[in-house]
């Protein structure tokens, strides 16, 4: 009994001594600092966009801030604009090589790494923004994307869309195929290759260099995004013929790229936070673009003398033929791309059937009912 009483008393003393030591350390500011530092992680997010660029730069910042806030600053994300930490078109390699932990971009910028990445931004005459989310989330698209990016040590998350984009700014009206011969145009992706086959000289510049290229005559025409971004970039100052909608980007996807090894090293709750933050940002990005395109279109016409035009039917038909050629060649690149093409094409076919009796008929009815 005496031995038992001694051990009990000694244990109480040890606990009290430990508590006293803890209190003393906390009072001096020593305790806690190393532990907190170990629990907090800082990531660098790079992007090809200028800082605060409408839609893209703004929502990249929102994503960085959302991850930081949702994690209680356990995972803080610092954003770097195109050219600040790495050049605009090197953000993929920056994340892959650990120069940065994360990026905000769009997949087809990295077509030099894998031709299959065109599908995850979108194809000409392809999926709309809401159709793309259906394919990625519930049609097997995300799994295929993971397969491609996994080969580079990366993980991709859908981060939103601009919705349907504009076809571009042209100094002169385009009335037919003859007007495309020798035209120098800034345009990205498969759409650029389709136009090249119709006689256009394709030039790809980083977003921040589009206006200077138009102004100096390096290009005769340029596409960027849509009314909101194009107004902010001042493209109406160097051309007045504005073609709407785009044939090549009906709902192009934005992405968040994460270094896969670093992502997998995160605790489960932080992984969930990164995924949830990307999903929330995707929804907010499309809403942001939709609202601001609505309010930006009228000023372009009313205040700046912009003329809204549509692609002539002759060009649309020719672009359709050229696109089918290019995509057939794309699908034959390798086994992975062929598999992705089959999945995307099957989903697109179903989406077309639904949109004809769904969205298209509703929009037509809405116009009739508007009086």
């Amino acid at each position: 009994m005496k031995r038992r009483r001694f051990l009990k008393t000694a244990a109480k003393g040890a606990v009290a001594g430990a508590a006293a030591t803890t209190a003393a350390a906390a009072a001096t500011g020593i305790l806690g600092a190393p532990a907190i530092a170990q629990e907090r992680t800082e990531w660098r997010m790079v992007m090809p966009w200028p800082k605060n660029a409408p839609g893209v730069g703004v929502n990249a910042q929102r994503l960085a801030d959302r991850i930081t806030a949702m994690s209680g600053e356990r995972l803080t994300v610092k954003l770097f604009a195109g050219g600040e930490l790495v050049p605009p078109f090197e953000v993929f390699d920056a994340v892959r090589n650990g120069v940065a932990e994360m990026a905000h971009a769009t997949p087809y910028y990295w077509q030099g790494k894998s031709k299959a990445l065109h599908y995850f931004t979108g194809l000409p005459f392809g999926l709309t923004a809401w159709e793309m989310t259906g394919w990625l989330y519930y049609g097997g698209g995300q799994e295929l994307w993971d397969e491609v990016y996994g080969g580079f040590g990366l993980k991709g998350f859908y981060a939103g869309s601009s919705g349907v984009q504009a076809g571009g700014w042209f100094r002169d009206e385009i009335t037919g195929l003859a007007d495309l011969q020798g035209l120098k145009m800034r345009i990205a992706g498969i759409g650029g290759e389709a136009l090249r086959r119709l006689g256009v000289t394709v030039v790809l510049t980083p977003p921040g260099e589009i206006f200077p290229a138009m102004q100096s005559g390096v290009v005769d025409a340029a596409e960027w995004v849509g009314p909101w971004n194009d107004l902010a970039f001042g493209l109406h100052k160097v051309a007045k013929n504005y073609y709407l909608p785009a044939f090549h980007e009906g709902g192009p996807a934005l992405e968040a790229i994460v270094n896969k090894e670093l992502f997998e090293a995160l605790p489960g709750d932080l992984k969930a936070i990164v995924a949830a933050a990307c999903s929330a940002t995707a929804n907010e990005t499309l809403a942001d673009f939709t609202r601001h395109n609505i309010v930006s279109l009228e000023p372009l016409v009313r205040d700046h003398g912009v003329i809204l035009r549509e692609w002539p039917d002759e060009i649309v038909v020719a672009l359709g033929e050229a696109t089918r050629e290019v995509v057939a060649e794309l699908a034959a690149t390798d086994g992975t791309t062929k598999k992705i093409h089959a999945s995307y094409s099957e989903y697109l076919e179903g989406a077309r059937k639904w949109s004809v009796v769904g969205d298209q008929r509703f929009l037509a009815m809405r116009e009739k009912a508007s009086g």
Side-chain angles (χ1 to χ4, degrees), residues 65-292:
D65 294 343
R66 182 171 278 119
I67 293 172
T68 301
M70 288 174 68
S71 68
E73 298 188 358
R74 287 169 55 212
L75 176 58
T76 61
V77 181
K78 183 177 181 181
L79 181 66
F80 294 86
E84 281 190 327
L85 189 63
V86 296
F89 289 147
E90 293 183 17
V91 304
F92 183 96
D93 284 333
V95 179
R96 183 183 179 190
N97 298 327
V99 174
E101 293 75 24
M102 190 173 184
H104 184 279
T106 188
Y108 73 3
Y109 278 180
W110 326 123
Q111 60 176 302
K113 306 295 183 182
S114 169
K115 296 293 185 184
L117 293 177
H118 282 289
Y119 292 92
F120 301 103
T121 292
L123 299 181
F125 307 108
L127 297 175
T128 63
W130 53 93
E131 291 167 349
M132 175 66 86
T133 59
W135 179 57
L136 289 174
Y137 290 165
Y138 301 111
Q142 182 66 57
E143 291 79 5
L144 293 167
W145 196 7
D146 287 343
E147 183 178 334
V148 176
Y149 267 8
F152 295 98
L154 301 171
K155 166 72 176 172
F157 294 92
Y158 176 68
S161 175
S162 62
V164 62
Q165 292 200 357
W169 297 86
F170 295 77
R171 288 196 176 88
D172 300 314
E173 182 182 0
I174 304 299
T175 60
L177 288 169
D179 294 330
L180 297 179
Q181 303 305 308
L183 185 81
K184 294 177 294 183
M185 183 176 181
R186 187 275 179 194
I187 182 171
I190 296 296
E193 177 58 22
L195 280 170
R196 188 188 68 77
R197 297 187 183 201
L198 299 184
V200 174
T201 299
V202 174
V203 179
L204 183 58
T205 67
E209 297 176 18
I210 297 174
F211 180 86
M214 281 286 286
Q215 188 178 45
S216 66
V218 170
V219 295
D220 307 307
E223 61 82 32
W224 174 213
V225 181
W228 181 27
N229 298 73
D230 295 357
L231 177 63
F233 274 56
L235 299 182
H236 58 280
K237 298 176 182 178
V238 288
K240 296 300 181 184
N241 295 285
Y242 195 27
Y243 281 76
L244 290 159
F247 75 94
H248 62 298
E249 293 182 326
L254 294 165
E255 66 179 351
I257 312 172
V258 180
N259 183 290
K260 186 177 180 181
E261 182 178 357
L262 295 177
F263 178 74
E264 293 298 337
L266 293 174
D269 64 328
L270 290 186
K271 289 181 190 175
I273 283 171
V274 171
C278 289
S279 181
T281 299
N283 181 62
E284 189 171 27
T285 298
L286 181 56
D288 201 16
F289 272 107
T290 301
R291 165 60 180 164
H292 285 93

